[in-house]
Amino acid sequence: MNQKTYHIEVWGCQMNVADAAAMARRLESLGYVESPDPASADLVLLETCCVREKPEHKIYSRLGELRPFKEARPGMRIGVCGCMAQKEGQTIIRKAPCVDLVIGPRRLFRLPELLAELEYTGNAQVDVVDDEAPLEVTEQDFELYRRQGALQAFVNIIEGCNYRCSYCIVPFVRGKFTSREPAAVANEVRRLVEVGIKEVNLLGQSVLAYGRDEGRTFDIVNLFELLHEIDGLERIRFTTNHPLEVSDRIIEAVKTMPKVMEHFHMPIQAGDDRLLKAMKRGYTVERYENLLHELRERIPGISITGDCIVGFPGETDEMFENSLETYTRLQFDQQFMFVYSARPGTPAATMPDQLSQEVKVARMIKLVELQNVISTARNESQLGTIFEVLVDGPSHRDATKYAGRARNNKALVFTVTHPPQRGAIVHVIAESAHLWGFSGSMVE
Ligand code: SAM
Ligand code: SF4
């Protein structure tokens, strides 16, 4: 009998990448094999994002492209998972009847059951209940990590968000903060290390808020301490960081714990106080700037990256220029830059002075140009630095070289005199700087 095949397409953030990987592992444990070709796959899953409108449109047009494949092979199944599934629910099936499965982010663990139900009844399945704890990893997951020889794993530690940034739909689709028990996270990481994982990236919309949900008495530093004890675990990363959650205790932990990496992904969102207020971010530019300087002073070698939005309602030329000045002063190592997109149901969507797409795009182009100059300059200022690098293996860019990441998450491609093992920690001197990181050579 032919093996069933699956194909997953992912939009959005790292949490979606992690969820897509968890679904892939579940499907493989059911005997499915991955296919690069959606036209011939038995099951196509779209792991979706609804943070901006454009990806949402793209998903409907992607479903339109998939429909003919299904018409040609009626046994094919199509599923929509992730945040847009949560937000739209049954509507997706009304708008795109080719869809057989709609699964919310907190219900992914039901994928095998929903597939069985679909086959048994022939009816489309929708499950978007949002009150469950985050997905737990199964024994099959660990086995698949081993077979894939993976070095890094994402570990969800806190779901949802209690902030109410005026532009953001996440709290509506992912619910309130729900932290996993520290012992459950530590057990998972221990098992991950046993199957070869060296680096974990602890994930949450506001990961430093870990443990702050009702009745909990632990925090992210307690979790760092617990994970730090795990022999064989080399690196702990954590993302995303809300500036209001960064405490002295956290800074001290990152500074002193050798396994906790010196990288903060800490979105600023705007560089003008009037915009920050309208966004309901809860801090001023000055407060953010002081925090950034404190981080750079106290944690040597740290890199600081962020997210920002252009074209928020009411953003004048002057406010935009103010933001550019702020970003020039702050010198982020990198920023993910987003064009504002009105999300129905969020306060910003009904604010006056929504900007035209032309203005938003023109500002975005200016911002990207500026950030590219800043990122390259920051890397140039670190030429000659010797970085501690976790070796990923031969480089995809140039097979004669090796690739890996520094503690501060900068990418390095480097020449070697003798080939290092995948997963080894080596030292590399940065010899030329690029937008994305460095080229260099391994030093003994
Ligand atoms: N929880 C994270 C935080 O607050 O830092 C970010 C979560 S969100 C999935 C990722 C990024 O998408 C945000 O930091 C923001 O820059 C951007 N974003 C969110 N809503 C947006 C919107 N309506 N339009 C454009 N960008 C948006
Ligand atoms: Fe959205 Fe703000 Fe929560 Fe981030 S902190 S997920 S931007 S509401």
Side-chain angles (χ1 to χ4, degrees):
M1 198 179 89
N2 281 343
Q3 265 187 315
K4 285 201 165 192
T5 54
Y6 73 91
H7 176 84
I8 305 184
E9 298 176 10
V10 188
W11 280 264
C13 65
Q14 282 175 321
M15 297 191 83
N16 278 10
V17 175
D19 283 352
M23 287 194 294
R25 294 192 301 268
R26 273 167 181 68
L27 291 170
E28 293 191 11
S29 70
L30 294 177
Y32 280 76
V33 289
E34 190 177 3
S35 158
D37 177 22
S40 63
D42 295 300
L43 173 65
V44 176
L45 294 177
L46 307 186
E47 171 65 19
T48 64
C49 172
C50 62
V51 164
R52 286 169 302 282
E53 192 182 5
K54 204 160 157 208
E56 225 179 290
H57 283 316
K58 278 197 189 149
I59 285 151
Y60 278 114
S61 59
R62 186 68 187 131
L63 288 170
E65 288 164 7
L66 293 172
R67 196 182 57 207
F69 302 146
K70 183 160 177 184
E71 284 166 356
R73 286 186 313 113
M76 174 183 179
R77 302 296 186 198
I78 300 177
V80 177
C81 317
C83 295
M84 185 178 143
Q86 187 69 37
K87 176 170 160 280
E88 300 274 286
Q90 195 78 37
T91 312
I92 294 180
I93 294 179
R94 262 208 319 280
K95 286 195 191 165
C98 63
V99 172
D100 305 282
L101 284 170
V102 177
I103 314 179
R106 294 196 178 193
R107 304 299 281 175
L108 295 184
F109 68 96
R110 288 201 64 221
L111 178 62
E113 205 181 324
L114 292 171
L115 274 173
E117 196 82 358
L118 171 66
E119 293 317 320
Y120 184 67
T121 62
N123 295 333
Q125 301 291 313
V126 178
D127 188 346
V128 292
V129 174
D130 69 354
D131 60 356
E132 293 286 330
L135 199 65
E136 297 285 337
V137 176
T138 65
E139 276 311 306
Q140 286 101 326
D141 285 320
F142 296 123
E143 198 36 53
L144 280 156
Y145 273 121
R146 188 199 301 279
R147 266 195 267 147
Q148 290 163 350
L151 292 179
Q152 284 107 351
F154 292 118
V155 177
N156 283 329
I157 62 165
I158 175 167
E159 266 286 346
C161 185
N162 289 9
Y163 287 99
R164 287 289 176 273
C165 303
S166 61
Y167 50 81
C168 184
I169 201 162
V170 168
F172 299 92
V173 291
R174 293 244 175 188
K176 291 201 152 235
F177 283 145
T178 318
S179 302
R180 289 176 63 197
E181 289 296 333
V185 177
N187 283 341
E188 179 176 323
V189 173
R190 221 168 273 123
R191 292 286 292 118
L192 286 169
V193 169
E194 280 168 17
V195 298
I197 296 294
K198 305 246 178 246
E199 174 178 299
V200 289
N201 196 336
L202 309 177
L203 293 185
Q205 293 297 345
S206 176
V207 79
L208 301 180
Y210 176 72
R212 263 208 305 101
D213 20 323
E214 255 172 280
R216 300 285 169 103
T217 52
F218 48 86
D219 69 2
I220 187 81
V221 176
N222 299 132
L223 186 67
F224 287 160
E225 283 162 357
L226 207 56
L227 302 185
H228 218 264
E229 295 296 302
I230 298 176
D231 280 342
L233 179 65
E234 305 277 359
R235 291 179 161 195
I236 302 168
R237 298 189 183 280
F238 49 99
T239 196
T240 295
N241 303 310
H242 194 296
L244 294 182
E245 303 284 349
V246 182
S247 63
D248 189 57
R249 176 172 155 81
I250 291 171
I251 299 176
E252 209 44 39
V254 178
K255 182 181 163 181
T256 54
M257 290 179 158
K259 291 185 182 178
V260 180
M261 296 297 106
E262 296 86 9
H263 172 217
F264 271 69
H265 184 72
M266 186 173 76
I268 185 167
Q269 308 298 5
D272 176 277
D273 282 346
R274 288 156 293 179
L275 289 170
L276 287 173
K277 191 161 183 221
M279 289 177 168
K280 290 208 174 328
R281 286 294 287 180
Y283 51 84
T284 57
V285 171
E286 189 185 0
R287 178 161 173 190
Y288 185 100
E289 195 162 353
N290 288 341
L291 176 60
L292 178 129
H293 288 312
E294 189 180 355
L295 287 168
R296 285 200 177 131
E297 268 160 32
R298 288 177 61 185
I299 306 176
I302 191 175
S303 67
I304 300 179
T305 57
D307 299 343
C308 63
I309 298 177
V310 274
F312 189 78
E315 182 189 75
T316 59
D317 280 336
E318 188 222 340
M319 293 176 190
F320 173 63
E321 291 299 328
N322 250 345
S323 285
L324 295 188
E325 269 176 37
T326 301
Y327 304 152
T328 307
R329 270 199 325 279
L330 300 191
Q331 297 278 301
F332 287 106
D333 287 276
Q334 190 51 276
Q335 287 213 85
F336 293 112
M337 295 157 274
F338 300 100
V339 170
Y340 170 72
S341 163
R343 308 290 41 229
T346 60
T350 50
M351 285 180 184
D353 303 324
Q354 304 278 331
L355 304 190
S356 71
Q357 196 59 16
E358 286 78 2
V359 170
K360 292 195 266 189
V361 170
R363 287 183 183 168
M364 179 66 154
I365 292 170
K366 223 171 150 186
L367 171 62
V368 170
E369 277 170 6
L370 173 72
Q371 188 55 52
N372 285 351
V373 171
I374 294 173
S375 299
T376 311
R378 272 206 64 81
N379 290 342
E380 274 165 359
S381 74
Q382 291 165 44
L383 284 179
T385 304
I386 295 178
F387 290 102
E388 187 191 289
V389 173
L390 177 68
V391 180
D392 211 22
S395 160
H396 298 302
R397 293 169 200 263
D398 176 351
T400 64
K401 296 182 176 166
Y402 278 72
R405 285 207 178 250
R407 294 177 64 89
N408 65 6
N409 211 32
K410 299 262 170 158
L412 283 109
V413 171
F414 50 96
T415 53
V416 299
T417 41
H418 56 272
Q421 288 253 330
R422 185 170 143 75
I425 302 236
V426 300
H427 289 91
V428 175
I429 182 161
E431 292 165 331
S432 55
H434 315 281
L435 178 60
W436 49 263
F438 304 95
S439 306
S441 349
M442 192 169 122
V443 291
E444 299 305 320

